[in-house]
């Protein structure tokens, strides 16, 4: 039995070491410590707040989507189980009236089957989110040379995830005296960067953060929430971060729910096997 | 597969088949009646765990291949399609991705167990060598699998690893370049590279399965080593594999699955890197390229050597040494339970390897022990690179100096007469007088 304890301890230590080693080392870039969103969905069994996802989608649709694509998302995703507009009365997301209505308001490019000419038609839930620009060159041309990244998996593609998005969107501060902000760039304390070359103050007091091409967006009251929630910068940033966290892995809730059942099964099964082991080995001295 | 078979066909069909293809006999002799030392501890369960890991990877991998598209423009999105639209695709993919980590975790424990209990010594050298081949194939498979999602870290990893071979330009000018061009299928890592990596990533696991067959065959010729390292002397030392070890291994496998499932369902990306969620872009290089955790010790060795060719040789040599262990360690005592000096050097080897893994995840210039600072306020002192150099030196010294020298000079403690002795006398505390091992003789 001591060997079992040692093996178990080793596995636990190895798992802890893995988690530690896997955390990537800091590069020379700096950023301010991220704000915590206090998300309900972060815990092992946590779920998304559907009202928050609806508000977050509205922020995306009315603000972010004018520059950022979400090419991996379909309108039907919004009405699937766990989504912002899921309604148990309409389990088939392609038939859900909310998603049909959201899609119908958007014109997507198509080919006229009779003439072959480029045309436009109202979107359906089966269409993916319409991208704001036709291609990368158009996106750069519209944004002073910078490319607004696709947001489909943004919450999984940055250290800090939802906290990073939540912080970044409200990380625009007046630059400290001695920092020269280049034209077309904005100082953001949460954007990872190395500001040493733009800093004329003391060398050991380089400000944290970086220069980002996106200007501050979420001014108070920019989006009017349908549920009456007060539209503060913090609220909009928090809600859109939650929406992007959901969009980055729409199956996260299903994953955690399944995991709970899997764990319960495995622990019971391990118990049964351990008792069988004790019984089978009861007459063997070892 | 060797020795006297105790299989007796019971039905008419079994007798008919046994005279034509004794496949049931082989299965019976190697998995049912196989005499196994009765003192195997839980470290020995990782062989069974690894077999299950391989099967899990193959099954989930084949299903993933039904949905994955090996094309530079579509690979990233096809993986996300699996995550979003394929029924339980997220589960299959997370099992496969975390399964690689679990596979390596188990193989490292399995290798460490072999090193500690002397499982590489005669007559098990071929068994050990086959294990080393499996490990090499696993590394190649794991590396190519990590490239397939075609994220930023996939791409950077493919560039870094294939470029290692360009070091051979320092041996024969042009040789390294020719090798890398041949590996890439072009003049840079691109679509051709992704396609061939996919083909090979699908092929190699079946080669691993083949070598695993040989590994098990060799195991069944020599029989299991055991924690005392003392060979099986009589039937009293063994129990039949089934049900004794099927149930013990089964219990260990399920406990291992609990750890596995925790990663899959509650921390599926804890072992990954956020940069790999950004589609591969040859024009942007990630700020800090790191391999998967299971390659970090070797990555640290590579970076510890300033000269590229010798860095590459140091890294591959670290694995090459494993192949030579049976002939580097000449001590007649197998188990380090009875090698009081060697066991401490072994503990240091484990710590050095873990330390190298830590170094591999840090930046080379990061400071471990701060002694001062530059004008900019950056710390200076003992860097990760220097720590990695010391640890790499120890790793090499363990195999090339410690094991050969200890074979001559170490005085082992008392080795029990038989497997049953320490069991019956309560852990070997009161051994019969004759059981004392002779101080080791030269040679």
């Amino acid at each position: 039995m001591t060997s079992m304890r040692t093996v178990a301890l080793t596995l636990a230590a190895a798992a802890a070491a893995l988690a530690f080693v896997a955390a990537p080392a800091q590069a020379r870039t700096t950023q301010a410590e991220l704000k915590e969103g206090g998300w309900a969905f972060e815990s092992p069994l946590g779920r998304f707040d559907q009202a928050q996802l609806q508000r977050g989608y509205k922020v995306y649709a009315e603000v972010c989507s004018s520059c950022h694509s979400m090419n991996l998302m379909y309108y039907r995703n919004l009405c699937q189980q766990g989504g912002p507009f899921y309604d148990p009365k309409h389990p088939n997301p392609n038939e859900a009236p909310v998603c049909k209505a959201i899609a119908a308001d958007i014109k997507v490019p198509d080919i006229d089957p009779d003439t072959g000419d480029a045309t436009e038609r109202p979107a359906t839930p089966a269409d993916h989110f319409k991208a704001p620009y036709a291609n990368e060159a158009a996106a750069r041309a519209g944004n002073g040379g910078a490319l607004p990244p696709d947001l489909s998996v943004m919450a999984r593609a940055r250290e800090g995830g939802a906290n990073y998005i939540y912080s970044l969107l409200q990380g625009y501060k007046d630059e400290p005296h001695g920092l020269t902000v280049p034209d077309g760039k904005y100082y953001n304390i949460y954007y990872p960067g190395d500001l040493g070359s733009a800093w004329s103050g003391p060398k050991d007091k380089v400000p944290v953060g970086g220069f980002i091409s996106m200007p501050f967006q979420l001014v108070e009251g920019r989006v009017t929430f349908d549920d009456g929630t007060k539209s503060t910068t913090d609220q909009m940033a928090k809600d859109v971060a939650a929406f992007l966290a959901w969009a980055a892995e729409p199956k996260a809730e299903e994953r955690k729910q399944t995991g709970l059942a899997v764990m319960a099964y495995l622990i019971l099964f391990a118990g049964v096997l351990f008792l069988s082991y004790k019984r089978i080995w009861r007459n063997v001295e070892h | 597969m060797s020795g006297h078979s105790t299989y007796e066909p019971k039905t008419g069909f079994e007798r008919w088949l046994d005279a034509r293809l004794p496949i049931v006999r082989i299965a019976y002799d190697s998995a049912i009646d196989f005499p196994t030392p009765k003192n195997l501890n839980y470290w020995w369960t990782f062989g069974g765990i690894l077999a299950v890991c391989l099967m899990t990877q193959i099954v989930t991998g084949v299903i993933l291949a039904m949905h994955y598209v090996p094309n530079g423009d579509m690979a990233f999105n096809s993986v996300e399609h699996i995550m979003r639209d394929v029924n339980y695709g997220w589960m299959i993919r997370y099992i496969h991705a975390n399964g690689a980590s679990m596979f390596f975790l188990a193989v490292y424990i399995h290798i460490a167990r072999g090193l500690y209990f002397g499982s590489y010594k005669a007559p098990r050298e071929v068994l050990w060598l086959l294990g080393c081949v499996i490990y090499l194939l696993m590394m190649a498979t794991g590396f190519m699998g990590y490239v397939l999602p075609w994220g930023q870290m996939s791409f950077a990893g493919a560039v870094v690893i294939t470029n290692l071979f360009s070091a051979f330009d320092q041996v024969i000018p042009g040789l390294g370049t020719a090798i890398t061009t041949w590996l890439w299928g072009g003049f840079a890592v691109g679509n051709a590279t992704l396609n061939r990596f996919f083909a090979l990533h699908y092929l190699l696991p079946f080669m691993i399965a083949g070598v695993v067959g040989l590994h098990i065959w060799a195991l069944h010729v020599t029989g299991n080593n055991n924690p005392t390292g003392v060979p099986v002397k009589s039937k009293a030392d063994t129990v039949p594999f089934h049900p004794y070890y099927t149930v013990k291994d089964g219990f260990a496998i399920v406990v291992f699955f609990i750890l596995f499932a925790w990663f899959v369902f509650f921390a599926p990306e804890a072992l990954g890197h956020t940069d790999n969620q950004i589609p591969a872009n040859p024009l942007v290089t990630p700020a800090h390229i790191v391999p998967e955790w299971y390659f970090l010790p070797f990555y640290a060795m590579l970076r510890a050597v300033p000269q590229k060719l010798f860095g590459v040789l140091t890294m591959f040599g670290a694995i090459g040494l494993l192949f030579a262990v049976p002939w580097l360690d000449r001590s007649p005592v197998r188990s380090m339970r009875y090698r009081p000096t060697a066991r401490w050097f072994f503990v240091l080897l484990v710590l050095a390897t873990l330390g190298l893994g830590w170094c591999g995840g840090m930046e080379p210039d990061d400071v471990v022990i701060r002694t001062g600072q530059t004008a900019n306020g950056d710390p200076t002192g003992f860097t990760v690179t220097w720590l990695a150099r010391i640890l790499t030196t120890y790793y090499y010294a363990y195999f090339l100096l410690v094991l050969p020298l200890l074979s001559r000079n170490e005085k082992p403690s008392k080795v029990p007469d038989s497997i049953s002795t320490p069991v019956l006398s309560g852990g070997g505390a009161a051994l019969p007088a004759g059981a004392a091992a002779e101080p080791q003789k030269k040679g």
Side-chain angles (χ1 to χ4, degrees), chain B residues 150-434:
Chain B
W150 214 232
Q152 274 290 64
M153 207 52 85
S154 296
F155 188 86
V159 171
V160 169
I161 301 297
T162 50
N163 265 317
L164 293 181
F165 294 92
S166 68
F168 289 102
D169 275 345
Q170 293 164 6
V171 185
I172 302 172
L175 174 66
T177 308
I179 294 174
T180 47
T181 306
W182 177 71
L183 287 173
W184 290 335
F187 298 102
V189 172
N191 196 50
T193 323
L194 177 61
N195 261 285
R196 60 189 52 199
F197 277 20
F198 177 60
L200 292 172
H201 183 73
Y202 203 111
L203 169 70
L204 291 189
F206 296 97
M207 292 174 63
I208 293 177
V211 185
V212 166
L214 297 177
H215 191 66
I216 295 173
W217 185 6
L219 169 71
H220 286 237
V221 173
T222 61
N224 287 83
N225 184 26
N226 67 82
T228 66
V230 178
V232 168
K233 300 240 165 88
S234 71
K235 216 164 157 51
D237 290 343
T238 67
V239 290
F241 189 80
H242 180 74
Y244 291 96
Y245 282 107
T246 43
V247 73
K248 189 173 184 176
D249 283 358
F251 169 61
I253 287 165
V254 172
V255 170
F256 188 77
F257 272 0
I258 293 175
L259 176 77
F260 194 161
W262 184 79
F263 276 107
V264 168
F265 294 103
F266 300 111
E269 290 184 330
L271 302 174
H273 196 292
T274 46
D275 275 9
N276 223 29
Q277 310 300 337
I278 304 170
N281 181 352
L283 301 179
V284 180
T285 305
H288 181 41
I289 301 172
V290 279
E292 290 281 85
W293 69 268
Y294 39 83
F295 292 139
L296 288 174
F298 302 104
Y299 190 54
M301 289 185 193
L302 172 75
R303 295 192 307 189
V305 182
Q307 209 272 353
K308 184 173 178 183
L309 178 64
F310 284 104
V312 172
L313 293 177
T314 303
M315 183 177 73
F316 285 117
I319 302 155
L321 279 177
L322 292 175
F323 284 84
V325 179
W327 296 277
L328 292 171
D329 178 7
R330 311 296 303 181
S331 168
V333 179
R334 275 204 195 92
S335 171
M336 286 198 190
R337 258 188 200 177
Y338 310 108
R339 300 184 63 188
T341 318
R343 67 193 301 179
W344 286 112
F345 283 106
F346 174 81
V347 169
L348 286 178
L349 175 74
V350 172
L351 292 176
T353 311
L354 291 175
L356 280 167
W358 180 80
C359 290
M362 305 298 287
E363 294 265 33
D365 295 335
D366 283 349
V367 171
V368 184
I369 302 167
R370 182 185 174 132
T371 54
Q373 63 178 31
T374 62
N376 296 351
D378 292 331
T380 56
F382 184 67
T383 60
V384 162
T385 302
W386 277 103
L387 179 61
R389 283 175 185 161
I390 291 171
L391 296 175
T392 305
T393 308
Y394 178 75
Y395 182 97
Y396 268 80
Y398 176 82
F399 292 104
L400 294 177
L401 290 174
V402 174
L403 285 183
L405 288 180
L406 277 186
S407 307
R408 293 157 175 266
N409 303 325
E410 186 183 32
K411 185 175 183 298
S413 53
K414 293 171 182 175
V415 179
D417 269 348
S418 74
I419 289 173
S420 300
T421 321
V423 172
L424 299 177
S425 60
L431 288 172

Side-chain angles (χ1 to χ4, degrees), chain A residues 1 3-8 10-12 14-29 44-45 71-74 76-77 80 140 152-153 155-160 203-206 246-252 254-260 262-263 265-267 269-271 273-274 276-277 280-286, chain B residues 37-43 45-46 76-77 80-81 83-88 90-91 93-94 101-102 105 109 239 243-245 247-248 250-251 254-275 277-279 287-288 290 293 296 354 357-358 361-363 365-367 373 375-378 423-424:
Chain A
M1 291 323 288
S3 85
M4 182 171 74
R5 224 167 287 137
T6 325
V7 173
T10 309
L11 282 178
L18 288 187
F20 174 72
V21 166
Q26 286 297 307
R28 288 281 171 267
T29 53
L45 296 175
N71 290 333
L72 295 171
M73 290 291 289
Y74 296 81
R76 64 176 158 82
N77 291 137
Q80 73 186 26
R140 286 190 188 276
S152 307
V153 289
R156 280 161 56 211
R158 295 291 184 278
E159 280 301 315
K203 284 291 173 207
D204 58 345
K205 299 238 166 18
V206 180
W246 168 79
E249 197 193 352
K251 298 293 177 73
E254 186 186 345
R255 163 167 66 76
K256 292 175 188 174
Q257 297 298 313
T258 314
L260 190 64
V262 169
M263 280 298 188
Y265 171 79
L266 286 176
I267 289 168
F269 191 27
L273 281 172
F274 183 71
S276 314
Y277 161 68
I280 288 171
W281 281 76
R282 69 191 181 284
N283 293 325
V284 181
E285 285 210 60
H286 65 287
Chain B
K38 64 184 183 180
N39 61 335
L40 300 188
N41 56 33
Y42 278 95
W43 296 111
T45 59
F46 283 89
F76 186 90
N77 284 358
E80 277 301 317
H81 162 70
M83 296 284 290
R84 288 158 188 269
D85 294 326
V86 173
N87 289 337
Y88 293 99
W90 56 270
M91 193 198 291
R93 178 181 175 234
Y94 279 151
S101 283
M102 294 298 115
L105 174 62
I109 294 174
V239 290
Y244 291 96
Y245 282 107
V247 73
K248 189 173 184 176
F251 169 61
V254 172
V255 170
F256 188 77
F257 272 0
I258 293 175
L259 176 77
F260 194 161
W262 184 79
F263 276 107
V264 168
F265 294 103
F266 300 111
E269 290 184 330
L271 302 174
H273 196 292
T274 46
D275 275 9
Q277 310 300 337
I278 304 170
H288 181 41
V290 279
W293 69 268
L296 288 174
L354 291 175
W358 180 80
M362 305 298 287
E363 294 265 33
D365 295 335
D366 283 349
V367 171
Q373 63 178 31
N376 296 351
D378 292 331
V423 172
L424 299 177

